[in-house]
Amino acid sequence: MSTNQVVVRGRFYSPANPAQGEAITAYSEASDLVIAALQNNGADLRLPLVALKPRYGGFNREQVYFDWKSAQGEACSVCFSAKDAELLMAQAQATATQPYQQVRREQTKRKRRSTIGLGLLALYLILPFLLLLILLWKSHQIAAWVAGYVSIEQEQALGEMVFANATDGMKLRQTGYDYEVLKSIGERLTQGSVYDYHWYLADTEEINAFAVPGGYVVANTGLLKAADSAEEVAGVLAHEVQHVEQRHTLEDIIYSLGWQASIALIAGDVSSLWITQAATQLTSLKFSRELETEADIKGLEALHKANIAPQGLVTFFEKLAESEEGLDSLTFLSTHPASDQRSANLKKAIQQQTNWTTLALPYDWPKVKAAVEQNKHTIK
Amino acid sequence: MSSMDIVDYQIFGADSQYVEIELDPGEAAVGEAGAMLYMEQDIVMETIFGDGSASTQAQGFFGKLMKAGGRLVTGESLFTTVYMHQGKMWKRKVAFAAPYQGQIVPMPLNQLGGELICQRDSFLCAAKGVSLSIAFQKKIGTGLFGGEGFIMQRLQGDGLAFIHAGGSLIERTLRPGEKLRVDTGCLAALMPSVDYDIEYVGGLKTAFFGGEGLFFASLTGPGKVWLQSLPLSRLANRIVRAAPGGTGETSVLGGLGSFFGDN
Ligand SMILES: [Zn+2]
């Protein structure tokens, strides 16, 4: 044995001690594995590597065993840690270690397969949660993306369904002077639209208006009562209509639909509950600040195109915020806060429009208000 | 100096056994709280974080936490109960009972190379100083089809541990390279030198008509293995099948759950 020889610890299993084995030290020399000074006879055991059958073994296959048959035909084995086996084999003659190299390659392959397998298993187990996280994280973008694939016809059909749900129990009408004025203002604002608009008046004191995908617009009589001019109503309608035109409501419904659908998917229970829920939320939809700003700006453009004075959009909200009406206007104000920032932005946008030719809306506003009062009693 | 306590014990009973451990003043034993049968006066029961072995006491807080986490994974309780003889004189006894019919096997770890891997629910009790940790099967095949064998319990130290084997116990010494195929549930304990793999046995015919013996644990020597003739899973399986409405069928997810959950 040369001085720079690597000596490693291992365990030797023989018929004399098959269960526990005995602690030994070993080194390799040329094409032999040498087990030093065995307890039973004190002599070195020199084994030619070609006669040894290497394998990975032990509970987690983290050890290397070299098996052989003794002269008497008895099974023997010597075991090293994977690291020590590598050291031993590095010292030995390369050609003699070929069986070991082969086994080691197989082990590497097996380990890689195991890792991939465990990875796939883990992925399978966490996939529902992963999907949920992605949905949560990118939900608005996903909804916008999905909305892009919805045709106008589909949107109109969905709108019809949602409208039926949302207005369930509401007193709607499509008659009376006040309704005719509402419809007329709305049609001025939606000329050339791809949507087929339907206008409704709901008899309730609450100051609110909302629009359903596909072009269903509901305005409360409370809105007409609170407005001092047709231009103010036009401003509000111009804004609400843009939530349809820009597909804000559609995206929001898809967003809540996708959300419910993913929960149902994970819980394994799919019901049609979502459509009702999406509809009930509709009268108090709260869009993001960006979408509201977009509706404001596009609404101004629509007013401009229809030659309607735009100031009504600003003044109506300002008036609402200051008014004593409080509770009645709560819904609309909570979804459309009349912040100073918003007013300032709108005023700035109005000033930037230089060639704004306005024509006064040709409606008898006191007559509209009177019609609201009158029709309220007749509708019952 | 050895960290373990020398323990005298006696095993009673034939089919449903219990082990009575005799403690000198200051000596202690650890056991799962649910396994204790009785304890004499002066023996104080204390629930500790970890397993009470010297190694856990030496580790920092995070070491303890990791080990306790490991115990959670094996389905054992987070805390171990230590039964300490705090009297000044006399020997006192504490007894632990087997959970169901079978045999209690004393395992002198010092004579077994200082380490033993056993089925999760096989461990009964040990002299304080035996460290308990999880032995996680990293081989994917074993993990998927090994059933109870996926996560096992590792006992380390030089003390005496007691294992419970359901039904009858079979102790086998495997020569180097000698192979023994065992039903996965029937493996109670093995030495860490034994190669443990899962083997698919038989073709389609076995798959359809062979019942539960589809996957076998393939054990390769050298080392000792301990087998139990009546694993709890097999017993439970029969009871569920015999119960009204019980079908014993499992879904893919149920199958996956079964090696994480209780068996
Ligand atoms: Zn809005």
Side-chain angles (χ1 to χ4, degrees), chain A residues 101-111 113:
Chain A
Q101 302 298 352
Q102 175 69 24
V103 165
R104 203 191 59 163
R105 275 195 296 274
E106 283 164 16
Q107 172 75 354
T108 313
K109 225 183 279 171
R110 199 182 296 128
K111 262 193 167 164
R113 269 209 305 270

Side-chain angles (χ1 to χ4, degrees), chain A residues 52-83:
Chain A
L52 303 182
K53 186 174 157 282
R55 67 177 168 96
Y56 279 80
F59 181 65
N60 251 330
R61 296 235 172 109
E62 279 158 347
Q63 269 89 38
V64 180
Y65 287 78
F66 292 91
D67 295 343
W68 73 94
K69 286 274 194 315
S70 72
Q72 290 77 37
E74 292 162 324
C76 298
S77 189
V78 65
C79 153
F80 305 101
S81 72
K83 208 178 107 201

Side-chain angles (χ1 to χ4, degrees), chain A residues 337-349:
Chain A
S339 69
D340 293 341
Q341 185 65 47
R342 188 171 173 220
S343 294
N345 285 345
L346 277 171
K347 282 174 185 162
K348 209 173 129 195

Side-chain angles (χ1 to χ4, degrees), chain A residues 20 55 60-62 65 114, chain B residues 111 136 138 193 195 197 221:
Chain A
Q20 224 183 305
R55 67 177 168 96
N60 251 330
R61 296 235 172 109
E62 279 158 347
Y65 287 78
S114 228
Chain B
Q111 290 168 40
F136 182 70
K138 291 172 200 149
S193 62
D195 182 283
D197 205 0

Side-chain angles (χ1 to χ4, degrees), chain A residues 11-33:
Chain A
R11 284 197 93 77
F12 172 58
Y13 298 90
S14 66
N17 204 344
Q20 224 183 305
E22 63 179 276
I24 49 100
T25 57
Y27 59 91
S28 60
E29 202 169 56
S31 61
D32 291 340
L33 178 71

Side-chain angles (χ1 to χ4, degrees), chain A residues 239-240 243 287 292 295 335-336:
Chain A
H239 173 96
E240 281 306 313
H243 285 318
F287 294 108
E292 287 300 344
T335 55
H336 296 90

